[in-house]
């Protein structure tokens, strides 16, 4: 089973100063920074997925790349730009979620193939249009006309894409995108894509589906698969079900969820082999909008806030070195949390979760290179450098789980 | 009580018209014991109080790093407004033949550290960030010069606050020219600009450089290429292009000599290929205009990305630039872009869009040529 990590310009700066919380003033974004595959050992994924919408922008804005970075990606190609080792592969797609609200995908087949070829991708997914809904028993006449249309658009563009790849004698391996709203419609899409000539097929729009629904689709699809056809699940990580997915012909998937949970999840921020912990929130006084407003309005004294923030960081670091006991850290955290939450009773306290994290000290026993280097800093919810490192750590946990499945 | 004591500070009382100001020095670590920051806020009756913004932590960090560095000094004075509770005691032994507008003596400040901020005898009018940096710095003491005045009202303090904080920033060109020849800690934004400014100054100053004395700067008033055009081109290449190979990402330094060789190598070929266009000012030539300098900078990055400095100036590079000749309109005629759009030669402006359009036009010509070969 191969895991692709979707690129969203997620890097960390190796020269970041954790004590003073600052970058080198001369730091150059992306070039001086490092990707997860450059710092996390072993490498936490088998390849990267890069969306045209992230690079070139789409309906929702200008993309995540600055113009000069985009120019360099096109100039150097994806392998050199991402500094990918030989063993890793690259997959391009359109980023269909970025134009999900449009009636029609905003790209032409030629534009997309230009993108794949100029960036020198190993493989590229045909243009698809996401169907947002699941009605297992419904036929074409039972569902929204737009769903039917979207499936046809996806198939039609897949056919044109395959033809363009043949015509240009492109080095990019074509991957057909299958859309559907039910096991039968997905299976029909896959069958048609195989007829066009595709031997690698990506299943799209399954992110909101429950695991048993994905399995129902795969059960309908797998009897139709030709012996050399491989399936990719777009945006799905259900580690517990991966073995069963694999039984039905899935050979690869991609997902950001393990990474993003490090800073997006309410509680499960720091993953371990058998569970997850809540990261300890110590927001920066000059980075937390609510706190900034409270200071500006005079409700909170800036000096008090700075003192509370520093006390938390010092106590956490001392605790990691066994110089203070847990209750002292908890007291410091409680003081700061009260300041940050203010008097609004609607916001809840995380203190109980912090206690659990700090008691277990999961980073002490983690074998990943980042936890070894940064210790407790990785468990602190604060700023992009700590949060993304924790995300990278989560990816190594996921990779280890995938490895045990494979054997 | 330990938190109540009297500070006696040698001071000068200076007369300015009907006003008196007091010049003295005090350990910056003690400043906050008698001077408060007047944070802006409104009370329940919407009445305005105070005038200061919150501390800017990044700014304070910058000053603090400077203070902790070797040989730091803060020569300009911090300004405070006093209430009536301070007293100036003139020296008893004042010679009679001295000037009459300045009287030596002692400033007597009763310090009570248990007082609330609002009750302190002085407000900080100017120097909030500096005094916060001294407070936070890892130093035992740091005496600073202070100028104080007795304020009639908070309204008067407010106008003084606006007056001292509305100074004009230094012109950028002057900073760029000064930057390479500075020592010690500088603010982060200047640290970042320092290497590009250094390269620009060297390009403008070395005889073998095609830019020799033609970049406009305070000391090269006859220059006709805008300093910012060259800076942008150099920065770009340094961060995203060909010059990055000479950079040390761990400390942000770079091999200036090889960068210079690289730049001179490329741009001297540009001058050889377009000698006339190179000698004209931007209003007569788009080559020396921001749009030309930047676009050709991108061409340099594309053609010489992995080329070592010593190998930049080659016959191949010259041939590549020669091949642009039929497709450029630096000084007359029209630009014919591949999407069919035509623009008069001087219609191109120094905007991101025009730079992008010209760059992709030039790169397309070069790509077509390399495909044919």
């Amino acid at each position: 089973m191969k895991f692709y990590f979707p690129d969203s310009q997620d890097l960390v700066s190796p020269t970041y100063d954790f004590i003073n919380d600052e970058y080198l003033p001369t730091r150059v974004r992306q070039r001086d920074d490092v990707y997860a595959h450059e710092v996390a050992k072993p490498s936490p994924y088998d390849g990267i997925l890069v969306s045209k919408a992230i690079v070139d922008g789409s309906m929702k804005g200008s993309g995540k790349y600055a113009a000069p970075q985009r120019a360099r990606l096109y100039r150097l190609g994806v392998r050199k730009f991402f500094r990918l080792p030989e063993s890793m592969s690259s997959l391009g797609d359109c980023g269909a979620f970025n134009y999900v609200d449009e009636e029609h995908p905003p790209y032409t087949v030629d534009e997309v193939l230009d993108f794949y070829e100029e960036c020198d991708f190993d493989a590229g997914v045909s243009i698809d249009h996401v169907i947002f809904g699941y009605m297992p028993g419904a036929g074409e006449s039972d569902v929204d006309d737009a769903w039917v249309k979207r499936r046809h658009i996806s198939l039609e563009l897949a056919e044109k894409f395959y033809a363009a790849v043949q015509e240009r004698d492109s080095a990019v391996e074509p991957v057909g995108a299958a859309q559907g709203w039910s096991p039968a419609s997905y299976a029909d899409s896959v069958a048609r894509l195989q007829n066009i000539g595709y031997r690698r097929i990506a299943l799209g729009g399954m992110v909101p589906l429950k695991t048993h629904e994905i399995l129902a689709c795969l059960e309908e699809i797998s009897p139709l698969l030709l012996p050399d056809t491989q399936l990719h699940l777009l945006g799905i990580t259900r580690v517990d079900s991966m073995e069963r997915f694999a039984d039905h012909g899935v050979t690869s998937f991609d997902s950001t969820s393990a990474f993003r949970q490090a800073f997006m999840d309410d509680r499960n921020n720091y993953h371990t082999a058998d569970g997850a912990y809540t990261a300890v929130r110590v927001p920066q006084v000059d980075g937390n909008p609510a706190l900034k407003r409270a200071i500006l309005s005079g409700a909170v004294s800036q000096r008090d806030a700075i003192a509370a923030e520093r006390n938390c960081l010092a106590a956490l670091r001392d605790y990691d070195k066994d110089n203070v006991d847990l209750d002292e850290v908890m007291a410091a955290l409680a003081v700061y949390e009260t300041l940050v939450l203010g008097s609004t009773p609607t916001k809840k306290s995380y203190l109980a979760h912090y206690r659990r994290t700090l008691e277990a000290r999961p980073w002490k026993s983690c074998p990943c290179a980042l936890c070894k280097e940064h210790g407790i800093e990785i468990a602190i919810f604060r700023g992009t450098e700590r949060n993304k490192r924790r995300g990278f750590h989560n990816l190594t946990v996921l990779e280890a789980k995938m490895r045990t499945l494979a054997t | 009580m330990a938190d109540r004591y009297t500070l006696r500070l040698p001071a000068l009382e200076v007369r300015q018209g009907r006003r008196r100001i007091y010049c003295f020095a005090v350990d910056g670590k003690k400043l906050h014991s008698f001077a408060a920051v007047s944070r802006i806020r409104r009370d329940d009756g919407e009445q305005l109080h105070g005038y200061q913004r919150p501390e800017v932590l990044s700014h304070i960090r910058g000053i603090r790093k400077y203070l902790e560095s070797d040989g730091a000094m803060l020569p300009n004075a911090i300004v405070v407004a006093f209430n009536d509770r301070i007293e100036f005691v003139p020296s008893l032994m004042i010679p009679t033949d001295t000037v009459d507008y300045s009287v030596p003596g002692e400033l007597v400040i009763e310090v009570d550290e248990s007082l609330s901020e609002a009750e302190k005898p002085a407000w900080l009018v100017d120097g909030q960030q500096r005094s916060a940096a001294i407070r936070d710095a890892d130093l035992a003491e740091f005496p600073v010069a202070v100028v104080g005045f007795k304020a009639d009202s908070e309204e008067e303090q407010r106008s003084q606050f606006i007056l001292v904080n509305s100074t004009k920033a230094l012109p950028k060109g002057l900073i760029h020219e000064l930057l390479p020849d500075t020592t010690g800690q500088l603010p982060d934004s200047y640290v970042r600009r320092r290497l590009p400014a250094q390269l620009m100054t060297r390009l403008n100053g070395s005889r073998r450089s095609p830019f020799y004395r033609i970049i406009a700067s305070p000391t090269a008033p006859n220059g006709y290429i805008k300093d910012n055009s060259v800076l942008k081109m150099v920065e770009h290449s340094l961060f995203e292009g060909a010059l990055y190979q000479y950079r040390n990402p761990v400390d942000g330094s770079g091999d200036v000599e090889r960068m210079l060789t690289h730049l001179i190598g490329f741009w001297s070929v540009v001058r050889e290929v377009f000698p006339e266009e190179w000698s004209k000012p931007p209003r007569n030539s788009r080559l020396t205009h921001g749009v030309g300098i930047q676009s050709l900078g991108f061409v340099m990055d594309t053609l010489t990305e992995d080329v070592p400095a010593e190998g930049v100036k080659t016959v191949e590079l010259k041939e590549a630039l020669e091949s642009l000749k039929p497709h450029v309109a630096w000084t007359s005629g029209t630009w014919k872009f591949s999407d069919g759009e035509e623009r008069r030669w001087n219609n191109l402006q120094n905007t991101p869009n025009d730079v992008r359009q010209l760059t992709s036009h030039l790169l397309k010509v070069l790509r077509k040529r390399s495909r044919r070969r």
Side-chain angles (χ1 to χ4, degrees):
Chain A
M1 184 69 70
K2 296 223 182 295
F3 172 45
Y4 286 82
F5 183 58
D7 165 61
S8 191
Q9 291 270 63
D10 292 310
L11 301 103
V12 296
S13 162
T15 53
Y16 187 75
D17 174 353
F18 282 87
I19 300 301
N20 295 307
D21 265 311
E22 62 188 3
Y23 291 97
L24 275 187
T26 53
R27 164 205 178 214
V28 178
R29 274 169 199 278
Q30 203 271 342
R31 293 203 100 165
D32 292 354
D33 298 345
V34 290
Y35 289 97
H37 60 261
E38 296 177 289
V39 270
K41 300 274 179 277
S43 192
Y45 39 77
D46 304 288
I48 53 156
L49 171 73
V50 184
S51 295
K52 182 170 165 59
I54 299 269
V55 175
D56 289 335
S58 171
M59 304 331 237
K60 283 186 183 165
S62 53
K64 290 213 166 201
Y65 280 61
Q69 285 180 335
R70 186 167 61 230
R72 206 157 49 74
L73 168 61
Y74 276 94
R75 199 159 73 228
L76 297 179
V78 77
R79 188 162 295 276
K80 262 183 107 176
F81 182 86
F82 286 96
R83 306 180 289 261
L84 292 179
E86 266 306 305
S87 57
M88 275 195 193
S89 52
S90 57
L91 176 64
D93 83 350
C94 293
F97 275 98
N98 287 279
Y99 52 81
V100 71
D101 297 332
E102 301 298 307
E103 206 184 319
H104 209 270
Y107 306 125
T108 66
V109 166
D110 277 328
E111 266 169 15
V112 170
L113 192 51
D114 282 348
F115 169 64
Y116 296 159
E117 285 189 334
E118 282 186 49
C119 299
D120 232 343
F121 281 99
D122 295 324
V125 182
S126 65
I127 308 172
D128 61 339
H129 213 9
V130 178
I131 296 168
F132 255 129
Y134 187 69
M135 289 175 71
E140 287 209 350
S141 51
D142 308 319
V143 300
D144 190 336
D145 284 346
W147 294 12
V148 178
K149 203 170 160 211
R150 283 179 174 228
R151 196 173 79 91
H152 282 289
I153 289 171
S154 302
L155 287 169
E156 201 179 301
L157 288 169
E159 189 166 4
K160 286 186 180 153
F161 180 74
Y162 194 85
V165 168
Q166 301 300 312
E167 193 192 322
R168 291 197 198 180
D169 193 18
S170 180
V172 177
E173 181 194 5
V175 180
Q179 289 287 345
W181 59 83
S182 63
S185 57
Y186 270 112
D188 182 66
S189 293
V190 169
R192 287 174 192 234
L193 290 168
Q194 284 190 137
N195 284 340
I196 294 169
Y198 286 104
R199 289 300 172 267
R200 222 176 139 184
I201 292 167
L203 304 177
M206 288 189 164
V207 175
L209 300 201
K210 301 205 171 62
T211 300
H212 73 87
E213 294 170 335
I214 297 176
L215 276 168
C217 293
L218 289 171
E219 275 158 17
E220 191 100 7
I221 292 166
S222 64
L224 306 171
L225 290 181
L226 297 171
D228 52 348
T229 299
Q230 305 196 331
L231 292 181
H232 177 95
L233 292 176
L234 285 165
I236 306 286
T237 350
R238 312 277 166 91
V239 180
D240 302 338
S241 315
M242 263 319 154
E243 254 164 344
R244 288 157 77 198
F245 294 163
D247 290 343
H248 291 102
V250 174
T251 58
S252 61
F253 67 99
D254 70 86
S255 166
T256 50
S257 83
F259 173 75
R260 290 169 62 88
Q261 279 186 14
F263 44 90
M264 299 295 279
D265 200 272
D266 189 37
R267 293 232 293 269
N268 300 325
N269 309 121
Y270 181 98
H271 295 182
T272 61
D274 44 14
Y277 291 93
T278 306
V280 181
R281 287 152 171 81
V282 186
Q284 282 155 294
V285 168
D286 48 351
N288 182 283
L291 199 50
K292 260 165 97 174
R293 275 196 301 276
I295 288 169
L296 207 58
S297 69
V300 168
S301 142
Q302 189 175 28
R303 268 173 95 172
D304 294 352
I306 293 172
E309 178 196 11
R310 285 186 189 164
N311 283 344
C312 285
L313 288 174
L316 285 164
R317 286 171 186 145
D318 280 345
Y319 174 72
D320 201 29
K321 287 185 233 142
D322 284 318
N323 291 341
V324 302
D325 63 16
L326 182 57
D327 289 330
E328 219 166 301
V329 189
M330 290 309 300
L333 291 171
V335 168
Y336 194 34
E337 192 185 72
T338 312
L339 269 184
V340 174
L341 295 185
S343 48
T344 17
T346 48
K347 293 187 189 139
K348 60 183 185 305
S349 168
Y350 284 90
L351 291 174
H353 302 295
Y354 297 162
R355 183 177 281 277
R356 181 176 161 262
T357 307
L358 293 171
E359 268 170 355
R361 303 192 215 207
W363 60 90
K364 290 264 189 202
S365 49
C366 175
C368 92
L370 288 160
C371 287
K372 281 211 161 72
E373 187 183 344
H374 299 292
I376 195 169
E377 302 287 344
I378 222 155
I380 300 176
F381 197 125
R382 172 186 173 85
T384 177
E385 289 293 329
R386 287 179 184 77
N387 294 348
K388 284 190 176 162
R389 276 177 173 81
R390 189 166 56 254
F392 288 180
H393 151 87
N394 288 352
L395 289 175
T396 67
V397 173
L398 176 66
E399 192 272 345
K401 283 184 192 164
M402 298 303 305
R403 211 159 3 114
T404 56
L405 284 183
T407 52
Chain B
M1 275 190 333
D3 54 1
R4 287 180 72 162
Y5 53 91
T6 305
L7 269 180
R8 309 183 81 89
L9 304 166
L12 273 183
E13 184 187 60
V14 179
R15 181 169 47 78
Q16 288 179 334
R18 64 174 184 87
R19 308 296 301 255
R20 302 263 188 283
I21 60 170
Y22 304 96
C23 311
F24 59 100
V26 65
D27 178 7
K29 293 272 184 197
K30 292 207 176 102
L31 199 58
H32 290 271
S33 64
F34 64 88
V37 173
S38 172
R39 200 79 67 212
I40 189 165
R41 69 200 153 79
R42 290 200 183 264
D43 65 15
D44 298 338
E46 281 302 299
Q47 189 67 43
L48 184 68
H49 291 276
Y51 43 86
Q52 300 256 35
R53 61 190 164 160
E55 293 173 3
V56 183
L57 295 184
S58 56
H59 187 181
I60 291 173
R61 229 174 358 234
I63 305 172
R64 183 184 155 186
K65 260 182 15 198
Y66 169 73
L67 291 176
E68 289 171 357
S69 74
D70 205 29
M73 69 175 175
L74 278 184
N76 49 347
I78 285 168
V79 180
V80 299
F82 287 119
N83 64 19
D84 293 337
R85 274 178 292 145
I86 58 112
E87 191 189 352
F88 177 75
V89 184
S91 289
L92 293 173
M93 311 264 288
I94 302 172
T96 46
D97 57 348
T98 184
V99 294
D100 65 348
Y101 48 78
S102 170
V103 180
E106 224 171 34
L107 204 60
V108 182
I109 304 172
E110 300 295 338
V111 178
D112 181 350
E113 288 182 358
S114 62
L115 287 181
S116 75
E117 290 285 291
E119 295 168 310
K120 285 182 176 168
W123 293 108
L124 270 167
V125 174
D126 183 40
Q128 178 190 205
Q129 320 289 348
R130 275 172 288 155
S131 62
I134 297 169
R135 177 194 68 205
D136 295 349
D138 193 12
L139 297 165
E141 65 166 23
F142 196 89
V144 281
V146 183
V147 172
F149 62 93
K150 280 195 182 171
D152 295 336
S153 65
E154 200 178 277
E155 283 74 13
E156 188 192 347
Q157 292 182 34
R158 222 171 261 140
S159 58
Q160 285 297 326
F161 174 70
I162 292 174
L163 284 174
V164 295
N165 283 297
S166 56
T167 49
K168 197 160 191 265
L170 284 177
K172 284 268 175 352
L174 182 58
I175 290 178
H176 295 149
E177 187 145 15
L178 294 175
L179 215 42
D181 297 291
T182 54
T183 56
Q185 283 276 338
L186 287 170
D188 284 359
S189 57
Y190 291 155
V191 172
R192 200 178 163 81
R193 269 262 152 128
R194 198 162 165 175
L195 187 53
Q198 197 177 352
L199 284 164
M200 181 179 72
T201 312
R202 294 283 301 273
L203 281 175
N204 209 13
S206 26
R207 285 179 188 280
R208 64 190 176 103
S209 155
F211 291 95
Y212 180 59
R213 302 207 67 80
I214 61 171
I215 303 169
S217 77
T219 60
N222 296 327
Y224 50 84
I225 298 184
K226 283 246 172 62
D227 59 347
N228 213 34
S229 307
V230 180
L231 266 182
K232 267 188 171 161
M233 178 272 290
V234 168
E235 267 181 10
H236 236 288
S237 182
L238 205 48
F239 299 154
E240 298 290 340
L243 297 183
Y244 182 84
Q245 57 178 312
Y246 312 113
R247 240 186 111 263
N248 178 352
V250 178
D251 63 7
S253 67
D255 185 340
V256 174
E257 293 309 319
R258 295 193 71 209
M259 290 183 185
L260 208 58
T261 305
H262 197 120
L263 286 164
I264 291 176
F266 179 83
W267 290 96
S268 56
V269 178
V270 172
R271 182 176 59 176
E272 276 172 36
V273 174
F274 304 109
E276 210 172 308
E277 294 90 334
W278 188 254
S279 67
K280 289 180 175 167
R283 84 191 126 81
N284 297 326
S285 166
R286 292 293 113 159
L287 177 58
T288 57
H289 189 276
V291 68
I293 297 285
Q294 284 186 71
S295 301
L296 277 174
F298 289 118
V299 169
M300 173 181 81
D301 289 339
T302 307
L303 293 179
T304 65
E305 177 107 40
D306 293 322
V307 182
E310 301 71 25
V312 169
K313 196 176 174 182
T314 55
V315 180
E316 290 80 53
L317 177 65
K318 188 163 183 190
E319 284 171 0
L321 292 179
E322 296 270 7
S323 75
L324 293 176
K325 271 187 169 171
H327 306 277
V328 296
W330 298 123
T331 55
S332 61
T334 49
W335 296 96
K336 295 189 176 70
F337 296 123
S338 65
D339 58 3
E341 194 184 339
E342 291 201 10
R343 305 267 296 267
R344 254 176 67 79
W345 72 272
N346 59 356
N347 189 263
L348 288 182
Q349 298 307 323
N350 191 12
T351 61
N353 257 337
D354 283 6
V355 170
R356 198 178 318 137
Q357 194 172 21
L358 180 55
T359 304
S360 60
H361 169 68
L362 298 174
L363 291 178
K364 245 178 211 158
V365 173
L366 290 169
R367 255 205 309 276
K368 264 193 199 142
R369 171 176 172 273
S370 68
R371 239 178 276 151
R372 270 204 311 273
R373 274 147 48 99

